[in-house]
Amino acid sequence: MIDLRTDTVTQPTDGMRAAIASAVVGDEQKGEDPTTAELEGRVADLLGKQAAVFVPSATMANQIALQLWARPGDSVVASADAHLIKSEAGGPAALAGLMLQPISTVDGTFDDIQLTAAIAEGGVETPRTAVVSVENSHSNAGGRVWPLERLDQMLATAAHRGIRVHLDGARLLNAALYRDVPPARIAAGSDSVTLCLSKGLGCPLGALLALPAAAVSDARRVKQRLGGAMRQSGVLAAAGLYALDHHVRRLADDHHRAQRLADILQGTGMVSGRVETNVVLLDTHAIGRTSEALRSQLAAEGVLVSAVPRPGMLRAVTHLDVGDDDIEFAGNVIARTITS
Ligand SMILES: Cc1ncc(COP(=O)(O)O)c(C=O)c1O
């Protein structure tokens, strides 16, 4: 079975398991886990922020950020199919009392004019727009990466309006690779950044929230409240450090394989949008199929893909456990299935 549903399905490698086994650990909640502290420092440097807090998931990192930057009744601007809106179980409303102000997008990005239009303006009757959340790369839009100029203009507008910016950079390293810039370049101008370890980096779980030093104690308090404080989390942090040493440059392999899959399928007319990172969006309506039927047919042929919250769209995602031969196999299966 070739599993292209998402990049979270990877198994820890032998090297990562060895790093986990030899990790030096302590009680993280008490600030006594040296390996977690090392990972937090390393990621803060990588993202150009003063500090970082290790948490169990990118979902929690996003939710902590919202609670830092907004008060109940405030609104959060994000692309309409951002993970924050579609896949965090209503966390912004349930956990932080926030309203969502979605912006419809094609590629997951929006500009300063769209942001301005989404900002609530008026008197006491309007919710205060407190945060804009930027997802980069954007998963449901097909792993698309914000153009730097568009990002910078949008950030300048947010700063001018006194709106905090959270970067959901679960796949920021994919975005940085595609743009050929350091991750800190993309993170510059954001107040907080989520970086996920369990996607292209191949860790079993874990994420970091990078942020200003002054916000760390509040972030740790919210983390505790959400049940995210850990004990001997060095076993997970060791996996993260290993991934930063061994799994960053290889993200290029995932990007090439996604492009190769798109190339195999190019003639079918079902590849939607540009492939920029490790995601290929497949438009089943364009070939007169429904996504559910095609998904089941492909599964029966040994290729797993997943649905995204866009009508008729499926996605195929490359990752650490997918090789060149797997892509050739999957591409040929998809091409054959849709013509049969
Ligand atoms: C863009 C984005 N943000 C956040 C998350 C949440 O990650 P986690 O599974 O670590 O909570 C995901 C997971 O797929 C994601 O794609």
Side-chain angles (χ1 to χ4, degrees):
M1 193 65 88
I2 311 300
D3 194 344
L4 300 176
R5 288 171 300 163
T6 172
D7 46 10
T8 63
V9 295
T10 54
Q11 297 286 316
T13 60
D14 290 344
M16 183 176 283
R17 286 174 192 267
I20 289 170
S22 62
V24 180
V25 298
D27 190 323
E28 187 272 335
Q29 190 239 29
K30 300 189 194 322
E32 296 172 2
D33 189 281
T35 311
T36 299
E38 185 184 341
L39 177 66
E40 289 176 337
R42 177 115 176 241
V43 169
D45 288 347
L46 180 70
L47 304 185
K49 300 294 173 198
Q50 290 171 332
V53 174
F54 187 40
V55 290
S57 70
T59 299
M60 187 179 288
N62 286 343
Q63 295 301 319
I64 292 173
L66 294 185
Q67 293 189 43
L68 290 178
W69 309 136
R71 297 192 302 257
D74 287 347
S75 82
V76 180
V77 176
S79 58
D81 49 10
H83 191 275
L84 189 71
I85 292 184
K86 292 292 183 189
S87 304
E88 301 195 5
L95 303 173
L98 300 176
M99 300 192 42
L100 291 167
Q101 183 66 57
I103 298 180
S104 291
T105 76
V106 174
D107 62 1
T109 76
F110 44 88
D111 64 16
D112 50 335
I113 297 167
Q114 288 168 291
L115 174 64
T116 303
I119 295 171
E121 273 182 316
V124 289
E125 74 275 23
T126 54
R128 188 179 69 112
T129 303
V131 183
V132 54
S133 182
V134 171
E135 187 175 314
N136 199 6
S137 65
H138 196 292
S139 173
N140 287 329
R144 299 295 293 271
V145 180
W146 283 66
L148 290 173
E149 199 184 334
R150 190 170 174 84
L151 180 63
D152 290 345
Q153 279 172 356
M154 201 277 301
L155 290 172
T157 301
H160 179 67
R161 301 295 195 105
I163 297 171
R164 298 283 195 165
V165 178
H166 174 63
L167 169 59
D168 180 355
R171 296 181 182 79
L172 176 60
L173 302 188
N174 297 84
L177 174 65
Y178 177 71
R179 285 275 166 249
D180 196 20
V181 295
R185 164 65 182 89
I186 295 177
S190 299
D191 295 280
S192 51
V193 187
T194 294
L195 177 74
C196 190
L197 298 177
S198 66
K199 308 223 156 42
L201 291 177
C203 296
L205 69 144
L208 290 110
L209 179 64
L211 71 187
V216 167
S217 63
D218 283 347
R220 292 202 190 281
R221 184 171 296 277
V222 178
K223 171 181 161 182
Q224 169 74 22
R225 187 175 298 141
L226 295 176
M230 295 173 277
R231 300 302 179 180
Q232 287 68 34
S233 60
V235 291
L236 301 170
L241 288 165
Y242 181 89
L244 291 177
D245 286 336
H246 297 95
H247 292 172
V248 176
R249 253 176 303 170
R250 65 148 307 283
L251 291 173
D253 297 341
D254 295 344
H255 293 194
H256 291 138
R257 288 177 183 135
Q259 187 56 59
R260 172 64 189 147
L261 182 63
D263 290 346
I264 296 173
L265 298 175
Q266 206 54 56
T268 66
M270 73 180 313
V271 176
S272 172
R274 222 181 12 243
V275 173
E276 295 182 341
T277 57
N278 64 329
V279 184
V280 183
L281 268 193
L282 303 174
D283 185 347
T284 64
H285 289 175
I287 54 162
R289 301 289 186 98
T290 66
S291 52
E292 260 324 295
L294 185 59
R295 187 154 69 118
S296 313
Q297 255 182 303
L298 293 177
E301 297 291 331
V303 176
L304 299 179
V305 295
S306 62
V308 295
R310 293 184 172 204
M313 292 289 182
L314 295 172
R315 69 172 184 180
V317 184
T318 55
H319 53 74
L320 190 57
D321 290 354
V322 172
D324 291 331
D325 293 348
D326 299 326
I327 289 301
E328 298 301 317
F329 176 83
N332 290 328
V333 164
I334 298 171
R336 196 179 62 232
T337 304
I338 64 174
T339 49
S340 63

